[in-house]
Amino acid sequence: MDEFALDARVGFAIIVVFGLAWITFGWFLGRKTTTHEEFALAGRNVGFAFASATAMATWVTSNTTLVAPELTFQFGLWGMVGYSFAALGLILFAPISARIKTLLPNGYTSGDFIRLRFGFTAWCLFMVISFVYALGWLVSLGMAGGILLQALSGLDYHIGMSAILFICVLYTLFGGLRAVIATDFIQALIIITGVVLVAVLLLTNVGMPEIHQNLADHHPRLLDLLFPAAIMFLFNNIFFGLGEIFHSNVWWSRALAFKQKVAFRAFLTGGLLWLPIPIVTGFVALAAPQLGIFPASPDMVGPTVAAAVLGTAGAVVVFIVVFSALASSLDSLLAATSDLLTRDIYHKHLNRKANDKTLFRANRIAIAGLGVATWILCLPQITTLAALLNFTGAFVASTIWPIVVGLYQPRLEGKYAAGAMAAGTLCGLAGYFLIGFYVAALIACLVSAVITAVGVYMSKQHFDWDLLNEKEHTE
Amino acid sequence: MQKLLIGILVVMSTLGSGLLLSGTAFADTAQPGLTLQGPDKVREGYFQLRVDGVAEEDSFVIELASSEQFATVENTFSPLGAFRQLSLSGFDDGRYYFRAVHSGTGEYSNIHQLDVVHYPLWQALSLFTLGALLFISLLVTMLILTRRSARNHKEPSHG
């Protein structure tokens, strides 16, 4: 394959048209937002349809549309199937979200819970983990935008990356969480329709026997269910997904924004809707060798194969689907991370007397600042998407046990939670650098589990859950 | 004190993300003529190869053989568009030889030797078992804690 599926000008035109549409929609939805709580948590009144759609759409991201094919290209069948297990993160977060909503009726962020439940030291560690993860994910999304345009149209990576970041920052800035959730709903419809369309067209255009024969002859490990690195990757990916969702304010802010009875059903539905998507997006990568497609970087394989099989019209569909997926995650992450900066750092530690108007302004400055920081970190295309994301796995997987146990078990003291997160992260990073990215989250989770268990056994406190119901003091 | 700690926290977060700046890209060592670069040994069966010394408008293919003499070319791989790098995957254990061939002049690059040595299966299955046990422990813990919480109507009092 020598030519790109799309003319660079067509690719850029799609970005401009959709970008303007999202920005206008964000402005329209955000024009009536007057308070910081409305901006940050959409008035805590999101219903089931929007809640399920935002849960699914936010989780369909560069992970699903670019990394699932990348991992399938590298790990074969296990990469594809194993990646879909990340749906367990959403499904298992369903009961946790209901618990969060009950314990923290006035909460804003995941940082609120850690600060009130485990104290300042654990909160500091948790914030480091959250920001490393948020920046890692933001950078991966920015990179994905650049890679997408480059793979489909040959347009310079830096132009695509800058354009997508600029658009998402702008409409999140205008609309806050209400706009984020509403655009997620539309983006979810686009994603589901597009993915089903691509799957149907692929199955009718590419012969399964030919794909299988080519893989068996020239790339046999991709069909091997005893592929060692892929086997090691499987549970690592599950713990990575659990850690991502259990700790991230992207999901906590949604749990707090949904109506009381909605959170459980919404996350469960979102997870079940998400489950088959990596299978479809990952499957396209298996056709790459048969089509003679050997991308410069493995994270380009998904859109490249889809465009090659489906032609220009298919490339346009793929482009719109991936662009929607990126936007639905970027906006959520910008909103949730800016909430952490505004609420946890600015309001709770730098300016406790800040009024609603000041917090509103601080939140918007945080969104813009995060956008600029992400753009700077995206400039050097330092690594592949999967490697970048899995680097953060060592951090997030260390939070799973302290959060789960901390939400239900009153004995666990903050020093053990902090120890579990610190030791888990350090051991996970050691695994990442000494063995490979496919063990980082597993090691982090294991070490954290042991320390949390010791903590429950050794702790003598009986935490008063009422302390989590923090009253607001903003004017 | 808290402001100082928060400052440290922000710097640590940035540094944490920046750790990856150590980079995994190929060393950009431009050499005269057609040159092929790649890793010498991989443990996962996937890798990237990069060709230098080809003009942007020219094209090339990479040939694969199982002997250094290239008696039989077993497969050929073309890069995408104008890219000078390509990714390959799914290789079994073994020693492979690659060379790039200029499509116009027929010039050959150096021969690059690559060994694929997958991790031992016992190591993979050990980690798999460990992961499975840890995951089951998490599920059981969540189930027990959720049920216990549901039974305890007194907490939280504001719920």
Side-chain angles (χ1 to χ4, degrees):
Chain A
M1 182 181 167
D2 296 327
E3 299 298 326
F4 291 105
L6 283 180
D7 186 274
R9 284 167 297 185
V10 175
F12 199 74
I14 294 172
I15 283 206
V16 170
V17 169
F18 270 80
L20 282 175
W22 297 137
I23 291 168
T24 310
F25 194 50
W27 168 80
F28 177 77
L29 290 164
R31 75 194 192 289
K32 288 181 182 168
T33 302
T34 52
T35 68
H36 177 239
E37 189 174 36
E38 273 186 67
F39 187 79
L41 293 173
R44 302 182 192 269
N45 198 30
V46 180
F48 177 70
F50 279 95
S52 306
T54 191
M56 192 280 274
T58 303
W59 204 219
V60 177
T61 167
S62 58
N63 300 18
T64 333
T65 51
L66 296 176
V67 179
E70 173 184 357
L71 290 172
T72 307
F73 187 72
Q74 293 174 324
F75 291 136
L77 295 176
W78 272 130
M80 182 172 71
V81 175
Y83 204 87
S84 70
F85 289 167
L88 289 170
L90 280 180
I91 293 167
L92 292 182
F93 192 66
I96 289 178
S97 67
R99 178 74 174 167
I100 290 168
K101 190 78 182 165
T102 307
L103 288 180
L104 293 108
N106 298 308
Y108 269 79
T109 66
S110 51
D112 278 344
F113 169 72
I114 299 292
R115 176 174 50 83
L116 295 167
R117 175 70 180 83
F118 294 132
F120 186 69
T121 308
W123 175 84
C124 282
L125 277 165
F126 181 79
M127 293 302 277
V128 169
I129 290 168
S130 291
F131 282 114
V132 167
Y133 170 72
L135 282 175
W137 194 8
L138 278 170
V139 170
S140 81
L141 290 167
M143 280 172 59
I147 289 167
L148 170 71
L149 260 181
Q150 195 176 39
L152 290 179
S153 68
L155 193 71
D156 182 67
Y157 160 81
H158 297 97
I159 296 174
M161 178 273 289
S162 305
I164 285 182
L165 264 180
F166 178 75
I167 290 162
C168 291
V169 167
L170 213 58
Y171 85 76
T172 309
L173 210 53
F174 285 136
L177 190 63
R178 193 186 302 279
V180 166
I181 289 176
T183 48
D184 278 0
F185 183 77
I186 297 170
Q187 286 155 353
L189 295 178
I190 294 174
I191 292 164
I192 292 175
T193 310
V195 165
V196 169
L197 192 66
V198 169
V200 170
L201 289 172
L202 263 176
L203 287 173
T204 51
N205 281 297
V206 184
M208 288 285 277
E210 290 82 3
I211 292 175
H212 181 267
Q213 193 60 51
N214 183 289
L215 292 176
D217 291 345
H218 302 294
H219 309 271
R221 283 289 179 166
L222 298 184
L223 298 174
D224 187 359
L225 292 180
L226 293 176
F227 183 167
I231 291 174
M232 289 194 275
F233 150 83
L234 187 69
F235 275 101
N236 185 76
N237 191 58
I238 291 174
F239 290 119
F240 179 34
L242 291 175
E244 280 184 284
I245 291 185
F246 283 18
H247 97 283
S248 174
N249 194 47
V250 168
W251 308 101
W252 281 68
S253 64
R254 275 163 176 68
L256 294 166
F258 297 167
K259 286 179 183 170
Q260 178 66 37
K261 301 286 181 189
V262 159
F264 182 92
R265 285 185 297 135
F267 281 106
L268 191 62
T269 309
L272 293 174
L273 280 173
W274 188 89
L275 189 73
I277 292 177
I279 304 278
V280 179
T281 57
F283 169 74
V284 303
L286 292 177
Q290 166 68 14
L291 296 166
I293 293 174
F294 303 101
S297 175
D299 41 19
M300 294 166 68
V301 71
T304 309
V305 171
V309 172
L310 309 176
T312 306
V316 171
V317 173
V318 170
F319 192 92
I320 292 170
V321 167
V322 181
F323 182 48
S324 300
L326 292 176
S328 68
S329 304
L330 245 175
D331 59 10
S332 303
L333 194 55
L334 283 168
T337 312
S338 66
D339 287 350
L340 274 182
L341 285 169
T342 308
R343 167 79 176 183
D344 286 85
I345 294 182
Y346 179 71
H347 187 202
K348 289 295 170 186
H349 291 93
L350 299 178
N351 185 4
R352 282 184 164 271
K353 292 180 179 173
N355 60 25
D356 195 76
K357 194 177 170 185
T358 310
L359 290 175
F360 203 161
R361 191 168 61 239
N363 210 328
R364 285 182 154 157
I365 291 170
I367 291 171
L370 277 171
V372 173
T374 306
W375 181 76
I376 291 169
L377 288 170
C378 281
L379 282 175
Q381 199 180 347
I382 48 178
T383 182
T384 71
L385 290 174
L388 175 68
L389 283 168
N390 282 290
F391 172 76
T392 64
F395 290 80
V396 300
S398 72
T399 64
I400 296 172
W401 284 90
I403 284 176
V404 169
V405 175
L407 275 167
Y408 293 96
Q409 166 59 260
R411 278 172 67 98
L412 184 65
E413 291 176 15
K415 62 185 177 187
Y416 292 105
M421 289 190 279
T425 300
L426 290 174
C427 293
L429 284 175
Y432 178 93
F433 287 112
L434 296 175
I435 303 172
F437 75 80
Y438 31 78
V439 295
L442 175 61
I443 292 174
C445 185
L446 179 67
V447 172
S448 169
V450 171
I451 296 177
T452 304
V454 170
V456 171
Y457 181 73
M458 301 287 286
S459 297
K460 299 204 169 26
Q461 73 164 5
H462 188 93
F463 184 77
D464 178 5
W465 299 112
D466 281 340
L467 294 173
L468 295 175
N469 188 15
E470 192 179 36
K471 305 293 183 204
E472 279 307 295
H473 298 294
T474 52
E475 295 152 16
Chain B
M1 180 61 184
Q2 282 199 354
K3 288 184 181 180
L4 176 67
L5 276 170
I6 288 163
I8 293 168
L9 183 156
V10 171
V11 171
M12 282 175 68
S13 303
T14 313
L15 284 177
S17 296
L19 267 178
L20 281 172
L21 286 167
S22 53
T24 55
F26 289 101
D28 201 5
T29 50
Q31 293 173 29
L34 201 58
T35 54
L36 179 64
Q37 297 177 67
D40 298 326
K41 180 182 174 182
V42 294
R43 305 219 65 179
E44 299 89 358
Y46 61 80
F47 49 89
Q48 288 169 291
L49 298 173
R50 173 173 167 165
V51 174
D52 287 310
V54 186
E56 196 172 320
E57 62 275 15
D58 291 346
S59 59
F60 65 91
V61 294
I62 290 177
E63 295 180 343
L64 163 69
S66 54
S67 73
E68 204 168 0
Q69 291 72 37
F70 275 80
T72 308
V73 174
E74 294 176 359
N75 209 346
T76 58
F77 310 101
S78 301
L80 181 67
F83 288 107
R84 294 293 171 258
Q85 183 173 303
L86 54 77
S87 308
L88 299 173
S89 65
F91 281 69
D92 218 336
D93 283 337
R95 175 163 289 179
Y96 300 91
Y97 298 91
F98 296 91
R99 69 182 178 191
V101 188
H102 193 289
S103 302
T105 62
E107 179 193 358
Y108 289 111
S109 72
N110 58 302
I111 293 171
H112 182 78
Q113 176 187 311
L114 182 140
D115 291 320
V116 178
V117 185
H118 283 278
Y119 288 103
L121 195 56
W122 66 263
Q123 183 181 328
L125 290 175
S126 303
L127 280 169
F128 181 88
T129 309
L130 194 65
L133 290 173
L134 189 59
F135 183 67
I136 291 166
S137 307
L138 181 67
L139 286 183
V140 171
T141 304
M142 283 184 70
L143 195 67
I144 291 170
L145 291 175
T146 309
R147 284 192 170 184
R148 192 181 292 169
S149 158
R151 277 203 304 270
N152 188 351
H153 298 295
K154 285 182 183 175
E155 56 153 13
S157 57
H158 61 261

